[in-house]
Amino acid sequence: MLATRLIESLSMSPDKVLFVADKFKKALVGGPSACGLKLIDSTFKKPSGHEQGEVLVLDFGGTNLRLLLVELKGNRDYRIVNQHVANLRQPHSGIDLTSESAGAEDLFDYIAGEVEHFIDAGRNYQLGQSFSFPTRQINSNSAILLEWTKEIKTRSAVGRDINGLLRDALQRRRITNVTVKAILNDAVGTLLAAAYKCGPADVGSICGTGHNSCYLDSSGRLINIESGNFFNAVLPVTKFDRLLDRSSINPGKQRLEKMVAGAYLGELFRLTMLDMAQDAPVSEGSKRLIEKLTTHSCIDAQDISLLLEQKTFAIGGAHYALSARELSAAEEIARSLVERSARLVTATYLGIIGFLDPHRQRRHVITIDGSLYEKMPGFAASIRNTLKDVCSQHIELHSGKDYSGIGAAVAAVMQE
Ligand code: BGC
């Protein structure tokens, strides 16, 4: 009974999707600050598709950092020559560069060290950075961090030029063969890569640890919406969303992102499960689980993927033997949270397209990068189905795996 009520509170009818879409469109019409949207001019325009060269890319997505060597072939094709992933949180050594105990210099010194290991000392590189946080874009090579999102708390970075911090750290390490050429938001990178690869792309989006979208405006500028910060009374907010927001690093901010993104789905699931467990009789096997559920942020999006894919309940690799009923209730809740996320994201896409083309006269291509879109069972299908439900014929969805990084390579070459 209780699970049914919870699930109902998470469901969104096609009409509700259209209602949210309309509010999102109105917020875009309203301009910067309407309902939290930032609408930042990225200073980038569409590439020609002929950009060519080998570029070192720093993809700063969140707690994970990727270094890529990307070859742009100049004919809309590319190849990832080499890559390396580093984690800014290393629990075994007690290092957490995303916490308040670390300063911006510590963070970028670590990044410069990773760059040094990744490159060959004997050759020169051009670097493009994809940076997945809200910035004020000064120009194509300079962006000031407005605030951290996704629970990152590193000190003394807000208000500073991110490529400047990187450049200084490279200098401290005496790395003289890397020239920092460009910085851009990951959603903007996704749209640049999509335009490089196949031309007619007008929306780029990230559905991963965080969420954001950007669009190509009628004058050819790429605008970073910072849609994760959207908030409006029309959003189907539950008491779990409010609880999560209150205990986050930035209460009142990134409210849409906190309802949809991978960084938060696990915590929403934990809060929902905990609430349900309090009223329902529980099996012996799940008592251990309930105890575990009292730990803040103990569940992540991968645990949810596993539950939906393999019907196993595990938290960070530790399995919990639930009764068949409990397992199916847990699965139902996870599925509903993923479905709500996909429907909300779809509503924003409809809002963007409605804003760009009110009479729906053109074909539109939305390119999406990010782990949620790529890996979460049911997420991508739900976006497609929701678009079908509301009859949006002119909208094509493309998967843009690795596109945020490819876009940073394109951006760096565009500066030559
Ligand atoms: C940030 C955006 C970013 C998105 C996806 C959000 O938390 O505010 O700038 O594009 O995450 O990574």
Side-chain angles (χ1 to χ4, degrees):
M1 261 322 273
L2 189 67
T4 318
R5 246 187 291 130
L6 278 174
I7 285 156
E8 266 167 23
S9 71
L10 295 171
S11 81
M12 279 179 79
S13 65
D15 279 351
K16 179 77 176 175
V17 171
L18 288 173
F19 202 40
V20 175
D22 186 56
K23 293 288 178 206
F24 196 85
K25 173 182 153 182
K26 288 189 172 127
L28 287 168
V29 174
S33 310
C35 302
L37 302 185
K38 294 196 168 73
L39 305 182
I40 300 162
D41 182 350
S42 72
T43 74
F44 287 95
K45 299 218 159 139
K46 258 179 114 162
S48 66
H50 301 306
E51 291 72 13
Q52 196 170 8
E54 210 165 81
V55 182
L56 175 63
V57 168
L58 167 59
D59 189 348
F60 190 152
T63 50
N64 266 350
L65 189 100
R66 280 172 88 203
L67 286 168
L68 308 159
L69 191 60
V70 176
E71 181 196 355
L72 299 175
K73 299 187 177 179
N75 56 354
R76 301 200 176 277
D77 202 6
Y78 66 84
R79 181 170 72 100
I80 297 179
V81 181
N82 200 359
Q83 59 176 310
H84 165 72
V85 179
N87 198 329
L88 300 176
R89 283 184 193 150
Q90 293 154 15
H92 52 277
S93 57
I95 295 175
D96 184 354
L97 292 164
T98 66
S99 75
E100 270 161 336
S101 63
E105 273 73 16
D106 304 320
L107 174 63
F108 280 91
D109 280 343
Y110 172 78
I111 294 175
E114 292 297 301
V115 169
E116 190 171 31
H117 285 127
F118 185 71
I119 59 175
D120 292 334
R123 60 174 280 204
N124 292 328
Y125 296 87
Q126 321 232 21
L127 182 147
Q129 173 165 204
S130 164
F131 187 67
S132 309
F133 300 92
T135 57
R136 185 158 57 84
Q137 193 85 28
I138 306 297
N139 56 46
S140 53
N141 202 5
S142 166
I144 310 285
L145 177 60
L146 293 173
E147 60 209 355
W148 285 121
T149 56
K150 297 175 279 201
E151 306 305 294
I152 307 268
K153 295 186 223 154
T154 314
R155 275 180 294 108
S156 63
V158 172
R160 296 175 73 187
D161 174 11
I162 295 300
N163 263 2
L165 285 166
L166 174 64
R167 229 177 268 116
D168 292 348
L170 292 172
Q171 245 170 39
R172 282 195 291 279
R173 274 212 167 234
R174 305 198 197 298
I175 301 173
T176 51
N177 55 335
V178 173
T179 310
V180 179
K181 298 284 279 196
I183 183 165
L184 76 180
N185 181 265
D186 54 348
V188 176
T190 300
L191 183 46
L192 269 192
Y196 169 81
K197 186 83 180 101
C198 58
D202 52 3
V203 179
S205 184
I206 303 288
C207 293
T209 310
H211 172 62
N212 186 17
S213 299
C214 77
Y215 64 84
L216 177 72
D217 78 3
S218 52
S219 65
R221 296 174 315 155
L222 269 59
I223 306 295
N224 171 10
I225 302 174
E226 285 296 332
S227 48
N229 198 39
F230 177 69
F231 190 68
N232 181 281
V234 74
L235 290 180
V237 174
T238 65
K239 66 175 176 182
F240 310 110
D241 296 302
R242 280 189 282 271
L243 270 171
L244 180 144
D245 178 49
R246 277 204 294 274
S247 64
S248 67
I249 58 154
N250 49 359
K253 294 193 172 163
Q254 301 295 113
R255 293 298 302 273
L256 175 71
E257 178 169 76
K258 288 171 186 163
M259 295 174 80
V260 305
Y264 300 100
L265 282 179
E267 182 61 1
L268 280 178
F269 178 67
R270 179 188 78 86
L271 291 166
T272 317
M273 286 288 292
L274 196 60
D275 190 79
M276 198 174 75
Q278 256 141 35
D279 293 274
V282 291
S283 73
E284 267 312 300
S286 64
K287 288 207 174 114
R288 210 164 52 90
L289 170 65
I290 292 169
E291 232 177 88
K292 177 73 184 174
L293 287 178
T294 54
T295 312
H296 188 270
S297 294
C298 63
I299 301 185
D300 64 19
Q302 274 178 23
D303 298 326
I304 295 190
S305 278
L306 198 77
L307 174 63
L308 293 177
E309 215 161 53
Q310 295 180 17
K311 323 249 172 270
T312 341
F313 202 117
I315 301 180
H319 286 263
Y320 293 84
L322 304 186
S323 72
R325 259 186 70 199
E326 288 161 349
L327 190 64
S328 106
E331 237 186 279
E332 219 25 53
I333 288 177
R335 204 185 315 285
S336 308
L337 282 166
V338 169
E339 175 85 18
R340 183 184 71 156
S341 161
R343 290 195 161 228
L344 280 169
V345 165
T346 312
T348 67
Y349 294 162
L350 289 166
I352 299 169
I353 303 294
F355 167 69
L356 294 178
D357 182 12
H359 305 296
R360 294 284 172 87
Q361 288 161 329
R362 290 180 278 128
R363 166 187 171 217
H364 298 278
V365 178
I366 303 177
T367 304
I368 309 168
D369 188 9
S371 50
L372 208 57
Y373 189 74
E374 205 192 306
K375 297 188 190 143
M376 180 61 80
F379 183 81
S382 174
I383 296 187
R384 280 177 210 288
N385 293 337
T386 309
L387 282 177
K388 264 199 221 126
D389 285 352
V390 298
C391 296
S392 278
Q393 298 96 341
H394 302 303
I395 304 178
E396 278 173 41
L397 291 182
H398 288 191
S399 159
K401 181 166 157 37
D402 296 323
Y403 273 23
S404 53
I406 307 298
V410 174
V413 172
M414 282 170 81
Q415 304 323 306
E416 281 170 2

